[in-house]
Amino acid sequence: MPYTNEMLEECGFTSAQKILSGKWSMLIILFLSEKTMRFNEIQRLFPDITHATLTKQLRILEEYGIIERTVYSQIPPKVEYALSDIGMQLKPILDAVMLWGEEYKKHQPRSASASTR
Amino acid sequence: MPYTNEMLEECGFTSAQKILSGKWSMLIILFLSEKTMRFNEIQRLFPDITHATLTKQLRILEEYGIIERTVYSQIPPKVEYALSDIGMQLKPILDAVMLWGEEYKKHQPRSASASTR
DNA sequence: CCGCATCCTCCGAGATACTG
DNA sequence: CAGTATCTCGGAGGATGCGG
């Protein structure tokens, strides 16, 4: 039996796809699962993501309810990012993804870096 | 310590991100993990993916070594798609993702369908 | 039945510069 | 220190039509 777009919208799988398909989503979630971090901490962790892009990614994940944002109204400002409960439940999955990725690289030493598209 | 783009390229996690972030990748892999399928079977399963798009997705996954393509030279043509060994190892992960998605929808009844972006 | 080539649309990701 | 506002650009995803 076929799966139309409507049916896929209902399915939890589709939510997961949207949330995880962001270029940095999985990495951010994985590191936040270790500890709560400030904006600049995250940025120092990934020097190659601009702060504008990082802000967007964090906003999206926040809207999805994956991370929680705490603002301390002070000078200088301080904002902390932490995983929500449901976000935390992604950790074992992302760990498994990472392990799979390592395994994959052993078998396919050159494939996924040279994106053929 | 920071993770530069170069370091991330080395990391297996990045391969996984590229492979899994395709809009249909996870769904296709999940269904192929159940059984080998012909092109038209897959397309009937997802009526809302055009055959051009499906072809591209399958090619990409094939280049990544996730799926294997068997062509039967006959009239009419027959092509079968199956998961490779390394592709099969994704199944438990995708099952977990699906379960997480269901759990997520319970907690966030409206979030990820109304993509706020 | 299956795949390829072409063209188009749209959005993610980044670059840059400015605010409190 | 953190966030916002624009702009650009490339590529994913899709529509259509031809070819074997």
Side-chain angles (χ1 to χ4, degrees):
Chain A
M1 83 269 208
Y3 291 82
T4 64
N5 274 345
E6 271 185 21
M7 298 169 66
L8 292 177
E9 280 301 324
E10 296 300 318
C11 165
F13 204 77
T14 304
S15 312
Q17 200 278 332
K18 289 185 190 168
I19 294 170
L20 297 179
S21 61
K23 180 172 175 184
W24 302 95
S25 321
M26 295 200 288
L27 280 169
I28 292 174
I29 295 172
L30 195 60
F31 278 93
L32 284 184
S33 72
E34 307 282 349
K35 69 185 185 80
T36 296
M37 296 178 88
R38 297 183 57 173
F39 186 88
N40 268 20
E41 279 187 273
I42 306 177
Q43 208 184 351
R44 271 192 299 271
L45 201 56
F46 306 110
D48 293 319
I49 183 174
T50 60
H51 69 283
T53 302
L54 180 55
T55 301
K56 279 188 224 164
Q57 299 281 340
L58 291 170
R59 279 283 177 285
I60 294 171
L61 291 175
E62 188 194 357
E63 280 158 9
Y64 279 148
I66 306 299
I67 66 183
E68 278 157 9
R69 185 161 153 270
T70 314
V71 182
Y72 298 87
S73 298
Q74 58 182 47
I75 308 291
K78 175 178 167 185
V79 182
E80 281 186 344
Y81 294 91
L83 284 195
S84 66
D85 288 351
I86 193 74
M88 270 299 179
Q89 294 177 34
L90 277 172
K91 180 166 170 41
I93 296 179
L94 295 186
D95 287 339
V97 169
M98 173 126 72
L99 288 177
W100 179 88
E102 304 294 347
E103 199 62 26
Y104 171 79
K105 291 215 73 153
K106 286 184 205 159
H107 289 69
Q108 316 277 336
R110 48 205 155 68
S111 273
S113 21
S115 79
T116 325
R117 207 27 193 301
Chain B
M1 82 264 210
Y3 291 82
T4 63
N5 274 345
E6 270 185 22
M7 299 170 65
L8 292 176
E9 280 300 325
E10 297 300 319
C11 166
F13 204 76
T14 304
S15 312
Q17 201 277 333
K18 289 185 190 169
I19 294 170
L20 297 179
S21 61
K23 180 171 173 185
W24 302 95
S25 321
M26 296 199 287
L27 280 169
I28 292 174
I29 295 172
L30 194 61
F31 277 93
L32 284 184
S33 72
E34 308 281 350
K35 70 186 184 81
T36 297
M37 294 178 88
R38 298 185 55 175
F39 185 90
N40 268 22
E41 278 187 273
I42 305 177
Q43 206 183 351
R44 271 192 299 272
L45 201 57
F46 306 110
D48 293 317
I49 182 174
T50 61
H51 69 284
T53 302
L54 180 55
T55 301
K56 279 189 224 163
Q57 299 279 341
L58 291 170
R59 277 285 177 282
I60 295 170
L61 291 175
E62 189 193 354
E63 280 158 8
Y64 279 148
I66 305 299
I67 66 183
E68 279 157 7
R69 186 161 152 269
T70 313
V71 182
Y72 298 87
S73 298
Q74 58 182 48
I75 308 290
K78 174 178 167 185
V79 182
E80 282 187 342
Y81 294 90
L83 285 194
S84 67
D85 288 352
I86 193 73
M88 269 300 179
Q89 294 177 35
L90 278 172
K91 180 166 169 41
I93 296 179
L94 297 186
D95 286 340
V97 170
M98 173 128 70
L99 289 177
W100 179 87
E102 304 294 345
E103 200 62 27
Y104 171 79
K105 292 216 70 154
K106 284 183 207 160
H107 289 70
Q108 316 277 336
R110 49 207 153 67
S111 275
S113 24
S115 81
T116 326
R117 214 10 202 311

Coordinates of all heavy atoms in Angstrom, one line a residue, chain B residues 17-86:
Chain B
Q17 N 25.9 12.0 7.9 CA 25.0 13.2 7.7 C 24.7 13.4 6.2 O 23.5 13.6 5.9 CB 25.7 14.4 8.2 CG 24.8 15.6 8.6 CD 24.4 16.4 7.4 OE1 25.2 16.5 6.4 NE2 23.2 17.0 7.5
K18 N 25.7 13.3 5.4 CA 25.4 13.5 3.9 C 24.5 12.4 3.4 O 23.6 12.7 2.6 CB 26.7 13.4 3.1 CG 27.6 14.6 3.4 CD 28.8 14.5 2.5 CE 29.9 15.6 2.8 NZ 31.1 15.3 2.1
I19 N 24.7 11.2 3.8 CA 23.9 10.1 3.3 C 22.5 10.2 3.7 O 21.5 10.0 3.0 CB 24.5 8.8 3.7 CG1 25.9 8.6 3.0 CG2 23.6 7.6 3.3 CD1 26.7 7.4 3.5
L20 N 22.3 10.5 5.0 CA 21.0 10.4 5.6 C 20.1 11.7 5.4 O 18.9 11.6 5.6 CB 21.1 10.1 7.1 CG 21.7 8.8 7.4 CD1 21.8 8.6 8.9 CD2 20.9 7.6 6.8
S21 N 20.7 12.8 5.0 CA 20.0 14.0 5.0 C 19.1 14.2 3.7 O 18.3 15.1 3.7 CB 20.9 15.2 5.1 OG 21.8 15.2 4.1
G22 N 19.3 13.3 2.8 CA 18.4 13.4 1.6 C 16.9 13.2 2.0 O 16.6 12.5 2.9
K23 N 16.1 13.9 1.4 CA 14.6 14.0 1.8 C 14.0 12.6 1.8 O 13.2 12.3 2.7 CB 13.8 14.8 0.8 CG 12.4 14.9 1.1 CD 11.7 16.0 0.2 CE 10.2 16.0 0.4 NZ 9.5 16.9 -0.5
W24 N 14.5 11.7 0.9 CA 13.8 10.3 0.8 C 14.8 9.2 1.3 O 14.3 8.1 1.4 CB 13.4 10.1 -0.6 CG 12.4 11.1 -1.1 CD1 12.7 12.1 -1.9 CD2 11.0 11.1 -0.9 NE1 11.6 12.8 -2.2 CE2 10.5 12.2 -1.6 CE3 10.1 10.3 -0.3 CZ2 9.2 12.6 -1.7 CZ3 8.7 10.6 -0.3 CH2 8.3 11.7 -1.0
S25 N 16.0 9.6 1.6 CA 17.0 8.5 1.8 C 16.6 7.6 2.9 O 16.6 6.3 2.7 CB 18.4 9.2 2.2 OG 18.6 10.3 1.5
M26 N 16.2 8.1 4.1 CA 15.9 7.2 5.2 C 14.7 6.3 4.9 O 14.8 5.1 5.2 CB 15.7 8.0 6.4 CG 17.0 8.8 6.9 SD 17.0 9.3 8.6 CE 15.8 10.7 8.5
L27 N 13.7 6.9 4.2 CA 12.6 6.1 3.9 C 12.9 5.0 3.0 O 12.5 3.8 3.2 CB 11.5 7.0 3.3 CG 10.7 7.8 4.3 CD1 9.8 8.8 3.6 CD2 9.8 6.9 5.1
I28 N 13.7 5.3 1.9 CA 14.0 4.3 1.0 C 14.8 3.2 1.6 O 14.6 2.0 1.4 CB 14.8 4.9 -0.2 CG1 13.9 5.8 -1.0 CG2 15.4 3.8 -1.1 CD1 14.7 6.6 -2.1
I29 N 15.8 3.6 2.4 CA 16.7 2.6 3.1 C 15.8 1.7 4.0 O 15.9 0.5 4.0 CB 17.8 3.2 3.9 CG1 18.7 4.0 2.9 CG2 18.5 2.2 4.7 CD1 19.7 4.9 3.7
L30 N 14.9 2.3 4.7 CA 14.1 1.6 5.6 C 13.3 0.5 4.9 O 13.2 -0.7 5.3 CB 13.2 2.5 6.4 CG 12.5 1.9 7.6 CD1 13.5 1.5 8.6 CD2 11.6 3.0 8.3
F31 N 12.7 0.9 3.8 CA 11.8 -0.1 3.1 C 12.6 -1.1 2.4 O 12.2 -2.3 2.3 CB 10.9 0.6 2.1 CG 9.7 1.2 2.8 CD1 9.6 2.5 3.3 CD2 8.6 0.4 3.0 CE1 8.5 3.0 4.0 CE2 7.4 0.8 3.7 CZ 7.4 2.2 4.2
L32 N 13.8 -0.7 1.9 CA 14.6 -1.8 1.2 C 15.2 -2.7 2.2 O 15.6 -3.8 1.9 CB 15.8 -1.1 0.5 CG 15.4 -0.4 -0.9 CD1 16.6 0.1 -1.6 CD2 14.7 -1.4 -1.7
S33 N 15.3 -2.3 3.5 CA 15.8 -3.2 4.5 C 14.8 -4.4 4.8 O 15.2 -5.4 5.3 CB 16.1 -2.5 5.8 OG 14.9 -2.2 6.5
E34 N 13.5 -4.2 4.4 CA 12.5 -5.2 4.5 C 12.7 -6.2 3.4 O 12.6 -7.4 3.6 CB 11.1 -4.6 4.5 CG 10.9 -3.5 5.5 CD 10.7 -4.0 6.9 OE1 10.5 -5.2 7.1 OE2 10.7 -3.1 7.8
K35 N 12.8 -5.7 2.2 CA 12.9 -6.6 1.1 C 13.5 -5.9 -0.1 O 13.3 -4.6 -0.3 CB 11.6 -7.2 0.7 CG 10.5 -6.3 0.1 CD 9.2 -7.0 0.0 CE 8.2 -6.1 -0.7 NZ 8.3 -6.1 -2.2
T36 N 14.1 -6.6 -1.0 CA 14.5 -6.1 -2.3 C 13.3 -5.7 -3.1 O 12.3 -6.3 -3.1 CB 15.3 -7.2 -3.1 OG1 16.4 -7.6 -2.3 CG2 15.7 -6.8 -4.4
M37 N 13.5 -4.5 -3.8 CA 12.3 -4.0 -4.5 C 12.7 -3.6 -6.0 O 13.8 -3.2 -6.2 CB 11.7 -2.8 -3.8 CG 11.1 -3.2 -2.5 SD 10.5 -1.7 -1.6 CE 8.8 -1.6 -2.3
R38 N 11.7 -3.6 -6.8 CA 11.9 -3.1 -8.2 C 11.6 -1.6 -8.2 O 11.0 -1.1 -7.3 CB 11.0 -3.9 -9.1 CG 11.3 -5.3 -9.2 CD 10.4 -6.0 -10.3 NE 10.6 -5.3 -11.6 CZ 10.0 -5.8 -12.7 NH1 9.3 -6.9 -12.7 NH2 10.2 -5.1 -13.8
F39 N 12.1 -1.0 -9.2 CA 11.9 0.4 -9.3 C 10.5 0.8 -9.2 O 10.1 1.7 -8.4 CB 12.5 0.9 -10.7 CG 12.4 2.4 -10.9 CD1 13.5 3.2 -10.5 CD2 11.3 3.0 -11.4 CE1 13.5 4.6 -10.6 CE2 11.3 4.4 -11.5 CZ 12.4 5.2 -11.1
N40 N 9.6 0.2 -9.9 CA 8.2 0.6 -9.9 C 7.5 0.3 -8.6 O 6.6 0.9 -8.2 CB 7.4 -0.1 -11.1 CG 7.4 0.9 -12.2 OD1 8.3 1.7 -12.4 ND2 6.5 0.7 -13.1
E41 N 8.0 -0.8 -7.9 CA 7.4 -1.1 -6.6 C 7.7 0.1 -5.7 O 6.8 0.6 -4.9 CB 8.1 -2.3 -6.0 CG 7.6 -3.6 -6.5 CD 8.3 -4.7 -5.7 OE1 9.4 -5.2 -6.1 OE2 7.8 -5.1 -4.7
I42 N 8.9 0.6 -5.7 CA 9.2 1.7 -4.8 C 8.4 3.0 -5.2 O 7.9 3.6 -4.3 CB 10.7 2.1 -4.9 CG1 11.6 0.9 -4.7 CG2 11.1 3.2 -4.0 CD1 13.1 1.1 -4.8
Q43 N 8.3 3.2 -6.5 CA 7.5 4.3 -6.9 C 6.0 4.2 -6.5 O 5.4 5.2 -6.1 CB 7.6 4.6 -8.4 CG 7.4 6.0 -8.7 CD 7.5 6.4 -10.1 OE1 7.8 5.6 -11.0 NE2 7.1 7.7 -10.4
R44 N 5.5 3.0 -6.6 CA 4.1 2.9 -6.2 C 4.0 3.1 -4.7 O 2.9 3.5 -4.2 CB 3.6 1.5 -6.5 CG 3.0 1.4 -7.9 CD 2.2 0.1 -8.2 NE 3.1 -1.0 -8.1 CZ 3.8 -1.5 -9.1 NH1 3.7 -1.0 -10.3 NH2 4.6 -2.6 -8.9
L45 N 5.0 2.7 -3.9 CA 5.0 2.9 -2.5 C 4.9 4.4 -2.1 O 4.3 4.8 -1.2 CB 6.3 2.3 -1.9 CG 6.3 1.9 -0.5 CD1 5.2 0.9 -0.1 CD2 7.6 1.3 -0.1
F46 N 5.6 5.2 -2.9 CA 5.6 6.7 -2.7 C 5.1 7.4 -3.9 O 5.9 7.8 -4.7 CB 7.0 7.2 -2.3 CG 7.6 6.4 -1.2 CD1 8.7 5.6 -1.4 CD2 7.2 6.6 0.1 CE1 9.3 4.9 -0.4 CE2 7.7 5.9 1.2 CZ 8.8 5.0 0.9
P47 N 3.8 7.5 -4.0 CA 3.2 8.1 -5.2 C 3.7 9.5 -5.5 O 3.6 10.0 -6.6 CB 1.7 8.1 -4.9 CG 1.5 7.1 -3.8 CD 2.8 7.2 -3.0
D48 N 4.1 10.2 -4.4 CA 4.4 11.6 -4.6 C 5.9 11.9 -4.9 O 6.3 13.1 -4.9 CB 4.0 12.4 -3.3 CG 2.5 12.4 -3.2 OD1 1.8 12.6 -4.2 OD2 2.0 12.1 -2.0
I49 N 6.7 10.9 -5.2 CA 8.0 11.1 -5.7 C 8.0 10.8 -7.2 O 7.5 9.8 -7.6 CB 9.0 10.3 -4.9 CG1 10.5 10.5 -5.4 CG2 8.7 8.8 -5.0 CD1 11.5 9.8 -4.5
T50 N 8.5 11.8 -8.0 CA 8.5 11.5 -9.4 C 9.6 10.5 -9.7 O 10.6 10.4 -9.0 CB 8.8 12.8 -10.2 OG1 10.1 13.3 -9.8 CG2 7.7 13.8 -9.9
H51 N 9.5 9.9 -10.9 CA 10.5 8.9 -11.2 C 11.9 9.5 -11.4 O 12.9 8.8 -11.1 CB 10.0 8.0 -12.4 CG 10.0 8.7 -13.7 ND1 9.1 9.6 -14.1 CD2 10.9 8.6 -14.7 CE1 9.3 10.1 -15.3 NE2 10.4 9.5 -15.7
A52 N 11.9 10.7 -11.9 CA 13.2 11.3 -12.1 C 13.9 11.5 -10.7 O 15.1 11.2 -10.6 CB 13.1 12.7 -12.8
T53 N 13.2 12.0 -9.8 CA 13.7 12.2 -8.5 C 14.2 10.9 -7.8 O 15.2 10.8 -7.3 CB 12.7 13.0 -7.6 OG1 12.4 14.2 -8.2 CG2 13.3 13.2 -6.2
L54 N 13.3 9.9 -8.0 CA 13.6 8.6 -7.4 C 14.9 8.1 -8.0 O 15.7 7.6 -7.3 CB 12.4 7.7 -7.6 CG 12.6 6.3 -7.1 CD1 13.0 6.3 -5.6 CD2 11.4 5.4 -7.3
T55 N 15.0 8.2 -9.3 CA 16.2 7.7 -10.0 C 17.4 8.4 -9.4 O 18.4 7.7 -9.0 CB 16.2 8.1 -11.5 OG1 15.0 7.4 -12.0 CG2 17.4 7.6 -12.2
K56 N 17.4 9.7 -9.2 CA 18.5 10.4 -8.7 C 18.9 9.9 -7.3 O 20.0 9.6 -6.9 CB 18.2 11.9 -8.6 CG 18.4 12.6 -9.9 CD 18.3 14.1 -9.7 CE 17.5 14.8 -10.7 NZ 17.0 16.1 -10.3
Q57 N 17.9 9.8 -6.4 CA 18.1 9.4 -5.1 C 18.7 8.0 -5.0 O 19.7 7.8 -4.3 CB 16.8 9.3 -4.3 CG 16.0 10.6 -4.2 CD 16.6 11.5 -3.1 OE1 17.3 11.0 -2.2 NE2 16.3 12.8 -3.2
L58 N 18.2 7.1 -5.9 CA 18.8 5.8 -5.9 C 20.2 5.8 -6.4 O 21.1 5.1 -5.8 CB 17.9 4.9 -6.8 CG 16.5 4.6 -6.2 CD1 15.6 3.9 -7.3 CD2 16.6 3.7 -5.0
R59 N 20.5 6.6 -7.4 CA 21.9 6.7 -7.9 C 22.8 7.2 -6.8 O 23.9 6.6 -6.6 CB 21.9 7.7 -9.0 CG 21.5 7.2 -10.4 CD 22.6 6.3 -11.0 NE 22.2 5.7 -12.2 CZ 21.4 4.7 -12.3 NH1 20.9 4.1 -11.2 NH2 21.0 4.2 -13.5
I60 N 22.4 8.2 -6.1 CA 23.2 8.7 -5.0 C 23.5 7.6 -4.0 O 24.7 7.4 -3.6 CB 22.5 9.9 -4.4 CG1 22.4 11.1 -5.4 CG2 23.3 10.4 -3.1 CD1 21.6 12.2 -4.9
L61 N 22.5 7.0 -3.5 CA 22.7 5.9 -2.5 C 23.5 4.8 -3.1 O 24.3 4.2 -2.3 CB 21.3 5.4 -2.1 CG 20.5 6.4 -1.2 CD1 19.1 5.8 -0.9 CD2 21.2 6.8 0.0
E62 N 23.4 4.6 -4.4 CA 24.2 3.5 -5.0 C 25.7 3.9 -5.0 O 26.6 3.2 -4.6 CB 23.8 3.2 -6.4 CG 24.4 2.0 -7.0 CD 24.2 2.0 -8.5 OE1 23.4 2.8 -9.0 OE2 24.8 1.1 -9.2
E63 N 25.9 5.2 -5.3 CA 27.3 5.7 -5.4 C 27.9 5.7 -4.0 O 29.1 5.4 -3.8 CB 27.3 7.1 -5.9 CG 27.3 7.2 -7.4 CD 26.8 8.5 -7.9 OE1 26.6 9.4 -7.1 OE2 26.5 8.6 -9.2
Y64 N 27.1 5.9 -3.0 CA 27.6 5.9 -1.6 C 27.8 4.4 -1.1 O 28.3 4.2 -0.1 CB 26.6 6.6 -0.7 CG 26.7 8.1 -0.7 CD1 25.6 8.9 -0.5 CD2 28.0 8.7 -0.8 CE1 25.8 10.3 -0.4 CE2 28.1 10.1 -0.8 CZ 27.0 10.9 -0.6 OH 27.1 12.2 -0.6
G65 N 27.3 3.5 -1.9 CA 27.5 2.1 -1.6 C 26.5 1.6 -0.6 O 26.7 0.6 0.1
I66 N 25.4 2.3 -0.4 CA 24.4 1.9 0.5 C 23.5 0.9 -0.1 O 23.0 -0.1 0.6 CB 23.6 3.1 1.0 CG1 24.5 4.2 1.5 CG2 22.5 2.7 2.0 CD1 25.3 3.7 2.7
I67 N 23.2 1.0 -1.4 CA 22.3 0.1 -2.1 C 23.0 -0.5 -3.3 O 24.0 0.0 -3.8 CB 21.0 0.7 -2.5 CG1 21.2 1.7 -3.6 CG2 20.2 1.3 -1.4 CD1 19.9 2.4 -4.0
E68 N 22.5 -1.7 -3.7 CA 23.1 -2.4 -4.8 C 22.0 -2.5 -5.9 O 20.8 -2.8 -5.6 CB 23.6 -3.7 -4.4 CG 25.0 -3.6 -3.8 CD 25.3 -4.8 -2.9 OE1 24.5 -5.8 -2.9 OE2 26.4 -4.8 -2.2
R69 N 22.4 -2.4 -7.1 CA 21.5 -2.3 -8.2 C 21.7 -3.5 -9.1 O 22.9 -3.7 -9.6 CB 21.7 -1.0 -8.9 CG 20.7 -0.7 -10.0 CD 20.7 0.8 -10.3 NE 20.4 1.1 -11.7 CZ 21.3 1.2 -12.7 NH1 22.5 1.0 -12.4 NH2 20.9 1.4 -13.9
T70 N 20.7 -4.3 -9.4 CA 20.9 -5.4 -10.3 C 20.0 -5.2 -11.5 O 18.8 -5.1 -11.4 CB 20.5 -6.7 -9.6 OG1 21.1 -6.7 -8.3 CG2 20.9 -7.9 -10.4
V71 N 20.6 -5.3 -12.7 CA 19.9 -5.1 -13.9 C 19.7 -6.4 -14.6 O 20.7 -7.1 -14.8 CB 20.6 -4.1 -14.8 CG1 19.8 -3.9 -16.1 CG2 20.9 -2.8 -14.1
Y72 N 18.5 -6.7 -14.9 CA 18.2 -7.9 -15.7 C 18.0 -7.5 -17.1 O 17.0 -6.8 -17.4 CB 17.0 -8.7 -15.2 CG 17.1 -9.1 -13.8 CD1 16.8 -8.3 -12.7 CD2 17.6 -10.4 -13.5 CE1 17.0 -8.8 -11.4 CE2 17.8 -10.9 -12.2 CZ 17.5 -10.0 -11.1 OH 17.7 -10.5 -9.9
S73 N 18.9 -7.9 -18.0 CA 18.8 -7.5 -19.4 C 17.7 -8.3 -20.1 O 18.0 -9.4 -20.7 CB 20.1 -7.6 -20.1 OG 21.1 -6.8 -19.5
Q74 N 16.6 -7.8 -20.1 CA 15.4 -8.4 -20.8 C 14.4 -7.4 -21.2 O 14.5 -6.2 -20.8 CB 14.8 -9.4 -19.8 CG 14.3 -8.7 -18.5 CD 13.8 -9.7 -17.5 OE1 14.3 -10.8 -17.2 NE2 12.6 -9.4 -17.0
I75 N 13.5 -7.8 -22.0 CA 12.4 -6.9 -22.4 C 11.1 -7.5 -21.8 O 10.7 -8.6 -22.1 CB 12.2 -6.9 -23.9 CG1 13.6 -6.5 -24.6 CG2 11.1 -5.9 -24.3 CD1 14.1 -5.2 -24.4
P76 N 10.4 -6.7 -21.0 CA 10.7 -5.4 -20.5 C 11.9 -5.4 -19.5 O 12.0 -6.4 -18.8 CB 9.4 -4.9 -19.9 CG 8.7 -6.1 -19.5 CD 9.1 -7.2 -20.4
P77 N 12.6 -4.3 -19.3 CA 13.7 -4.3 -18.4 C 13.2 -4.6 -17.0 O 12.0 -4.4 -16.6 CB 14.2 -2.8 -18.5 CG 13.7 -2.3 -19.8 CD 12.4 -3.0 -20.0
K78 N 14.1 -5.0 -16.2 CA 13.8 -5.3 -14.8 C 15.0 -4.9 -13.9 O 16.1 -5.3 -14.2 CB 13.4 -6.7 -14.6 CG 13.2 -7.1 -13.1 CD 12.8 -8.6 -13.0 CE 12.9 -9.2 -11.6 NZ 12.6 -10.6 -11.6
V79 N 14.8 -4.1 -13.0 CA 15.9 -3.6 -12.1 C 15.5 -3.8 -10.7 O 14.5 -3.4 -10.3 CB 16.3 -2.1 -12.4 CG1 17.5 -1.7 -11.6 CG2 16.6 -1.9 -13.9
E80 N 16.4 -4.4 -9.9 CA 16.1 -4.6 -8.5 C 17.1 -3.8 -7.7 O 18.3 -3.7 -8.0 CB 16.2 -6.1 -8.2 CG 15.0 -6.9 -8.6 CD 15.0 -8.3 -8.1 OE1 16.1 -8.7 -7.7 OE2 14.0 -8.9 -8.1
Y81 N 16.6 -3.3 -6.6 CA 17.4 -2.6 -5.6 C 17.4 -3.3 -4.3 O 16.3 -3.7 -3.8 CB 16.8 -1.2 -5.4 CG 16.9 -0.3 -6.7 CD1 15.9 -0.3 -7.6 CD2 18.1 0.4 -6.9 CE1 16.0 0.5 -8.8 CE2 18.2 1.2 -8.1 CZ 17.2 1.2 -9.0 OH 17.3 1.9 -10.1
A82 N 18.6 -3.5 -3.7 CA 18.7 -4.1 -2.4 C 19.7 -3.3 -1.6 O 20.6 -2.6 -2.2 CB 19.2 -5.5 -2.6
L83 N 19.7 -3.5 -0.3 CA 20.7 -2.9 0.5 C 22.0 -3.6 0.5 O 22.0 -4.9 0.4 CB 20.2 -2.8 2.0 CG 19.1 -1.8 2.3 CD1 18.9 -1.6 3.8 CD2 19.4 -0.4 1.6
S84 N 23.1 -2.9 0.6 CA 24.4 -3.5 0.8 C 24.5 -3.9 2.2 O 23.7 -3.6 3.1 CB 25.5 -2.6 0.4 OG 25.5 -1.5 1.3
D85 N 25.6 -4.6 2.5 CA 25.8 -5.0 3.9 C 25.9 -3.8 4.9 O 25.2 -3.7 5.9 CB 27.2 -5.8 4.1 CG 27.1 -7.1 3.4 OD1 25.9 -7.5 3.1 OD2 28.1 -7.8 3.3
I86 N 26.7 -2.8 4.4 CA 26.8 -1.6 5.3 C 25.5 -0.9 5.4 O 25.1 -0.3 6.4 CB 27.9 -0.7 4.8 CG1 28.3 0.4 5.8 CG2 27.5 0.0 3.5 CD1 29.1 -0.2 7.0

